[in-house]
Amino acid sequence: MKQTLLLWVGLLGLTPTLQAQTARTATTIAAETPYAADFAEAYRRYSTVPRGMLEAVAYTQTHIRHITAEETESCMGMPLPSGVMGLFANGKGYFRENLQLVAKLSDVSVEAIKTDPRSNILAYAAAYHRLATERKLSAKTPAKHLPVLLALSELPLEKGAVSSFALDSHLYSVLLFLSKAENQQRYGFPDYRLDLGAIFGANFRVLSAGTTQVSERQVQANGQVFNPDGSVSSATTSADYGPALTDLTTCNYSSRSGTAITHYAIHTVQGTYAGCISWFKNCSAQVSAHYVVRSSDGQVTQMVSEANKAWHIGNENPYTIGTEHEGYVNDASWYTTAMYTSSAALARDIVGSGYGINGLRTFYGAATTGTFSTGACVKIKGHQHYPNQTHTDPGVNWNWEKFYTLVNNAPTVSTLTAASGTVYDAGGASANYADDVRQCQLIAPTGATSVSLTFSSFDLESNYDHLLVFNGANNQAPLIGKYSGTTSPGTLTASSGKMFLELRSDCATNRPGFAASWASTGTSSCPTDSYEANETLAASKALGVNVNNTAYICPATDVDWYKFTSTSTNNNLKITLTTLPADYELELYNASGTLLYSSTLAGTSAETITYNGAPAATYYVKVYGYSGATSSTAYTLRVSTQSTAWRAAQSGAIAQASRLNEREPAVVTITNPVEAGASAWLTVSGYDGPADLTLRDTRGQLAKASIHADIKANEPLSYTLPTGLRPGMYVVALQLQTHVEYVKLLVQ
């Protein structure tokens, strides 16, 4: 029985089996970053600069984007950097003006550094080389280059908790970039085997995580005592938001003078996380926000107590809480999933803090470049949405719909499984809907292949209340449409066999709402089981343990998700899928949605996953048909737990193949790089037999459907890539009879 451990988070850290991949060409690198030739020239000229260091600094400062004088000014008055390397010509009396330092050390003019990307990169490299040479540093040991990074940073070199923390945050971001395998592959620099824990000591726990605990005499981060005498930074716990680090500023705030908190404002720094933290401690800046969020991992630092008034939004300061987000409004790459997730968690905490801020009053309209006031009804919104403002952050790249669903992440959903029926707004058939409604309805007729919804009446407050309709089981499915006013949507069709309706109303003006009738097709051929609807991990149904459970994969698009909880006593798990009427597959996930194991035997052979020593936790099981396999006959799923480890049973050809594999491990190679739509040649030595090939990106997302192939040892096999595949690193998984082999594939 094959059992596959897929750790997609760490795939790029796998040891390469291909010599071809290590010989990356300058052409490939150039396709991935517009300044690759300039970085390459800098490394050729200046041998003391560790390869990757320039990209690491540039990514930390600008996401490798040339910042020009036309960049939008920060709403906090924070000075803007220049160029790809993010150098400061004007520190506004607080930041060090490192552009002048770089110009002096490199003998390149200030104007050229500010305006020309190539000069910007080469001048920084020259300055770096000069400082590294003076310190007799080797390019092979970037961990020893921290003094150079500090010397070339714009951050003030001051003692004290906040200044030290800002500096450490900058260094941590640079070295973290160098330590990531995907960056090493993309930009062509070696693995320096950086031990960030050893480099930053006790502060590593503070820099890499968002929780600290403070007592009168000591600080702890993730259970480790923090020693300020042995470190260059310090942090304390937030009394307002538990996961936030606290670096409360001693200036740039004032009393709210009794004004109640009623709103929450989203800002963009127009700079870096470390720079923003440092800037808020500059008493001459006369600006601050309550929180700052880091782009890379969503770490939150609190700068002003919520009880006090931060200075972030002019006349609207007395009644608002404000959060700055690292990055630039013109560059969407800073608005990462980690940032959205962390920022939404912070917003949910504020919603639950007793201020009367309703999460349903989060702005979810279109992102724009300009300013406009939404009115007081919308409580959680951008700087650009408040009255009397000139700044446009967070701007056109902030995904408000995504942020709304993350803030309001636990809606109540009514599921309708009949083949046909009628739906109404939250007011029912005759009454108006109320204020602050979020009504979610899932139309999921059992076995349906298509659902159509025809409106007989429709009347929502125009431009303020909306009905969103999705082609699928939840609000992450493709949007069919967003409707408001009195124009009927007519007849809508969900080709997935499921339709998700979400009604949102604001704080005032109730209307009659809507009435609509649905019909479905394809519902008669599939039997009903008690677990439906369970098409997503979030909709998983509880599974009985140590008992047989029966259900159906019907229709062909059906996917079944289940969940169960293991204990620390019976922590050895065996999941079996038997009495298969068709070719079904079995997968096991953790609570984070990471695929742990899979069993994908061909045909109707029983599938088995064994996980011995599993931590006590909630796990998720996924059952689906291979290539649309379906049947109206039930399968049997059983989760068995026991205190002793399970032994994997082997017999016949599989056992023999396993023994052969132990004597001669399979080795997989593939030609690299390859263009989208072209064919790569894959060769397997030490193995003859069937295999299933699957292509996924580095996040584990499927890039090409699984194909079956018969492998002949040492004979090249043509593997054609989909056209339109985006350039980058991918992973080919080969499911052999006994195990899975992985090989990395670079698409250019």
Side-chain angles (χ1 to χ4, degrees):
M1 184 60 62
K2 53 190 187 203
Q3 299 166 351
T4 306
L5 177 60
L6 301 177
L7 301 178
W8 291 107
V9 172
L11 274 176
L12 289 184
L14 293 173
T15 302
T17 57
L18 310 175
Q19 293 182 354
Q21 282 198 198
T22 61
R24 229 182 129 166
T25 65
T27 301
T28 301
I29 300 174
E32 297 185 348
T33 174
Y35 303 109
D38 301 325
F39 287 126
E41 181 181 353
Y43 292 127
R44 287 194 301 270
R45 287 191 185 188
Y46 306 112
S47 60
T48 61
V49 182
R51 286 193 174 271
M53 184 65 81
L54 298 177
E55 291 91 336
V57 173
Y59 189 86
T60 297
Q61 295 295 100
T62 69
H63 275 202
I64 316 183
R65 186 169 67 94
H66 183 61
I67 305 297
T68 68
E70 287 71 40
E71 188 75 29
T72 302
E73 288 289 334
S74 167
C75 67
M76 290 295 159
M78 198 170 120
L80 286 171
S82 295
V84 179
M85 305 307 294
L87 303 175
F88 284 75
N90 177 11
K92 294 191 176 181
Y94 181 73
F95 285 134
R96 290 182 293 147
E97 296 177 348
N98 54 349
L99 193 151
Q100 279 78 6
L101 174 63
V102 167
K104 179 179 179 181
L105 294 175
S106 65
D107 292 326
V108 178
S109 72
V110 167
E111 188 62 25
I113 295 173
K114 290 174 63 175
T115 58
D116 178 46
R118 176 175 176 274
S119 297
N120 188 276
I121 293 169
L122 292 178
Y124 184 92
Y128 191 110
H129 173 73
R130 183 166 175 177
L131 295 177
T133 301
E134 292 174 353
R135 291 165 173 79
K136 299 181 179 179
L137 298 175
S138 167
K140 297 180 179 180
T141 56
K144 296 182 179 180
H145 289 227
L146 301 189
V148 177
L149 291 173
L150 290 176
L152 294 178
S153 168
E154 81 281 3
L155 301 176
L157 296 176
E158 299 176 352
K159 293 182 179 180
V162 177
S163 293
S164 297
F165 176 68
L167 289 165
D168 264 20
S169 293
H170 172 71
L171 298 176
Y172 173 79
S173 295
V174 173
L175 296 190
L176 182 65
F177 181 96
L178 290 175
S179 69
K180 289 185 175 181
E182 60 265 33
N183 293 334
Q184 296 161 16
Q185 291 291 332
R186 180 175 186 183
Y187 297 103
F189 61 87
D191 181 1
Y192 295 108
R193 302 186 180 277
L194 296 171
D195 186 344
L196 300 186
I199 293 170
F200 292 100
N203 272 349
F204 173 73
R205 292 186 178 271
V206 177
L207 293 163
S208 61
T211 303
T212 62
Q213 301 81 39
V214 180
S215 66
E216 183 179 353
R217 296 182 178 274
Q218 70 177 22
V219 178
Q220 293 187 27
N222 292 336
Q224 181 170 338
V225 175
F226 180 84
N227 179 11
D229 293 332
S231 176
V232 295
S233 65
S234 64
T236 57
T237 298
S238 165
D240 291 320
Y241 181 51
L245 306 180
T246 302
D247 280 318
L248 297 180
T249 181
T250 57
C251 54
N252 297 332
Y253 70 91
S254 54
S255 170
R256 293 187 185 271
S257 301
T259 302
I261 297 170
T262 59
H263 287 71
Y264 178 55
I266 301 295
H267 299 271
T268 302
V269 172
Q270 294 301 96
T272 66
Y273 178 73
C276 184
I277 291 169
S278 181
W279 182 248
F280 285 165
K281 297 307 282 278
N282 171 21
C283 294
S284 298
Q286 298 288 292
V287 291
S288 63
H290 292 89
Y291 296 98
V292 187
V293 184
R294 186 160 61 195
S295 170
S296 62
D297 58 1
Q299 186 184 73
V300 178
T301 288
Q302 184 173 14
M303 302 298 297
V304 176
S305 169
E306 289 176 12
N308 289 322
K309 178 175 66 177
W311 300 343
H312 60 108
I313 200 163
N315 292 335
E316 320 311 313
N317 287 328
Y319 63 90
T320 55
I321 294 172
T323 294
E324 285 283 350
H325 295 75
E326 180 182 30
Y328 297 85
V329 295
N330 293 328
D331 187 350
S333 68
W334 291 89
Y335 298 151
T336 63
T337 297
M339 173 177 278
Y340 279 118
T341 302
S342 178
S343 182
L346 171 58
R348 289 196 302 272
D349 183 83
I350 291 170
V351 166
S353 294
Y355 300 125
I357 298 176
N358 189 336
L360 296 179
R361 298 193 186 182
T362 302
F363 181 75
Y364 60 88
T368 63
T369 57
T371 62
F372 66 92
S373 176
T374 62
C377 188
V378 181
K379 301 292 188 181
I380 301 176
K381 52 191 176 182
H383 187 167
Q384 64 193 119
H385 300 141
Y386 284 84
N388 307 311
Q389 302 303 310
T390 58
H391 292 281
T392 61
D393 53 313
V396 72
N397 290 309
W398 183 265
N399 189 332
W400 285 108
E401 175 62 30
K402 179 176 182 176
F403 189 64
Y404 176 96
T405 57
L406 287 171
V407 172
N408 302 286
N409 65 339
T412 299
V413 180
S414 298
T415 301
L416 308 168
T417 59
S420 61
T422 302
V423 290
Y424 301 96
D425 61 87
S430 57
N432 289 4
Y433 56 81
D435 296 331
D436 294 323
V437 163
R438 189 187 188 199
Q439 177 194 28
C440 297
Q441 302 178 86
L442 171 62
I443 303 173
T446 303
T449 56
S450 176
V451 173
S452 62
L453 185 68
T454 301
F455 288 82
S456 57
S457 63
F458 191 84
D459 186 351
L460 306 183
E461 184 188 8
S462 183
N463 298 322
Y464 292 98
D465 301 338
H466 297 86
L467 175 66
L468 292 85
V469 182
F470 301 87
N471 184 6
N474 52 45
N475 58 10
Q476 302 305 305
L479 179 69
I480 294 176
K482 180 179 178 182
Y483 307 99
S484 185
T486 57
T487 301
S488 173
T491 297
L492 307 176
T493 301
S495 58
S496 67
K498 297 176 178 63
M499 182 180 288
F500 190 87
L501 311 178
E502 183 174 344
L503 172 65
R504 301 175 188 172
S505 69
D506 68 354
C507 64
T509 307
N510 311 134
R511 302 295 297 170
F514 63 85
S517 298
W518 84 85
S520 58
T521 58
T523 57
S524 59
S525 60
C526 290
T528 301
D529 65 64
S530 59
Y531 299 103
E532 294 292 348
N534 61 336
E535 274 68 29
T536 65
L537 183 146
S540 296
K541 296 298 176 64
L543 189 70
V545 176
N546 295 321
V547 296
N548 289 342
N549 305 269
T550 59
Y552 306 89
I553 296 296
C554 192
T557 56
D558 189 25
V559 176
D560 289 347
W561 283 88
Y562 307 92
K563 61 183 176 182
F564 68 92
T565 302
S566 68
T567 66
S568 57
T569 302
N570 294 320
N571 64 339
N572 300 292
L573 315 177
K574 182 193 287 187
I575 301 97
T576 57
L577 187 63
T578 58
T579 64
L580 299 184
D583 187 1
Y584 293 170
E585 315 288 29
L586 179 66
E587 295 177 349
L588 180 66
Y589 292 75
N590 65 15
S592 299
T594 300
L595 178 62
L596 300 177
Y597 292 88
S598 68
S599 180
T600 56
L601 289 178
T604 57
S605 300
E607 307 284 0
T608 301
I609 290 173
T610 302
Y611 186 6
N612 288 319
T618 298
Y619 294 92
Y620 294 81
V621 178
K622 179 182 178 183
V623 180
Y624 62 99
Y626 172 75
S627 192
T630 182
S631 174
S632 58
T633 302
Y635 63 82
T636 300
L637 179 64
R638 183 184 181 95
V639 174
S640 302
T641 65
Q642 63 183 31
S643 58
T644 57
W646 297 94
R647 296 183 62 184
Q650 292 183 320
S651 61
I654 293 178
Q656 181 180 6
S658 179
R659 289 192 294 273
L660 289 172
N661 190 61
E662 290 175 4
R663 292 198 302 268
E664 187 179 358
V667 177
V668 182
T669 59
I670 196 168
T671 53
N672 270 282
V674 65
E675 295 182 354
S679 295
W681 291 97
L682 183 145
T683 305
V684 183
S685 62
Y687 177 82
D688 282 295
D692 290 319
L693 284 70
T694 304
L695 183 68
R696 295 180 184 269
D697 62 22
T698 55
R699 298 172 297 173
Q701 300 299 311
L702 192 66
K704 179 179 180 179
S706 178
I707 64 169
H708 185 77
D710 291 319
I711 301 294
K712 300 295 184 184
N714 301 313
E715 290 188 8
L717 174 71
S718 177
Y719 184 61
T720 303
L721 302 184
T723 58
L725 202 62
R726 297 182 63 180
M729 189 62 65
Y730 293 80
V731 176
V732 180
L734 284 81
Q735 177 70 71
L736 309 180
Q737 283 185 308
T738 56
H739 66 291
V740 176
E741 290 284 341
Y742 301 104
V743 63
K744 288 178 283 187
L745 181 63
L746 180 62
V747 177
Q748 65 179 15

